[in-house]
Amino acid sequence: YNISHPNPQAEQIGRGQLSALCLSIVLPNASDSDQLLNQSCVITLKIKNHPQYGPQNEVKGYGPLQQPMMQQAPQQQAMAAHTPPFNQPGQQAGW
């Protein structure tokens, strides 16, 4: 992102893009690029066909991950790991 650029419009666009990214990872007051490492978000892409370089991804927007879906999967896996094989779904109860 162009957050420091001689062209004020380019700088404004870059700072807006960085702000949108920070909001999507719930770090609106990030002050260091290291804070952005290993964060997750949803990115909306558009594929545009560049005449010289071919198809390219263009970021159109950012959004937060759906937290309830992310929390359910590990919880279900943990339950399955502690359920005896004979009590797991699809198995008959008992020995």
Side-chain angles (χ1 to χ4, degrees):
Y1 300 110
N2 289 317
I3 59 170
S4 179
H5 195 275
N7 182 332
Q9 185 178 8
E11 188 172 314
Q12 182 181 7
I13 291 169
R15 288 182 181 270
Q17 292 170 329
L18 181 59
S19 177
L21 174 61
C22 290
L23 288 172
S24 73
I25 60 174
V26 195
L27 285 174
N29 299 317
S31 59
D32 189 314
S33 61
D34 285 346
Q35 293 173 297
L36 306 178
L37 298 175
N38 299 316
Q39 301 295 323
S40 299
C41 67
V42 175
I43 299 174
T44 304
L45 296 175
K46 174 184 176 185
I47 300 174
K48 69 177 192 177
N49 195 11
H50 191 280
Q52 185 177 357
Y53 302 110
Q56 295 181 331
N57 291 332
E58 180 180 342
V59 176
K60 298 304 277 182
Y62 303 93
L65 287 178
Q66 297 291 331
Q67 290 300 328
M69 291 185 348
M70 295 299 293
Q71 291 174 353
Q72 277 182 334
Q75 189 176 35
Q76 288 172 349
Q77 290 171 354
M79 285 179 59
H82 297 293
T83 303
F86 54 84
N87 283 341
Q88 289 186 4
Q91 300 292 323
Q92 291 183 338
W95 296 96

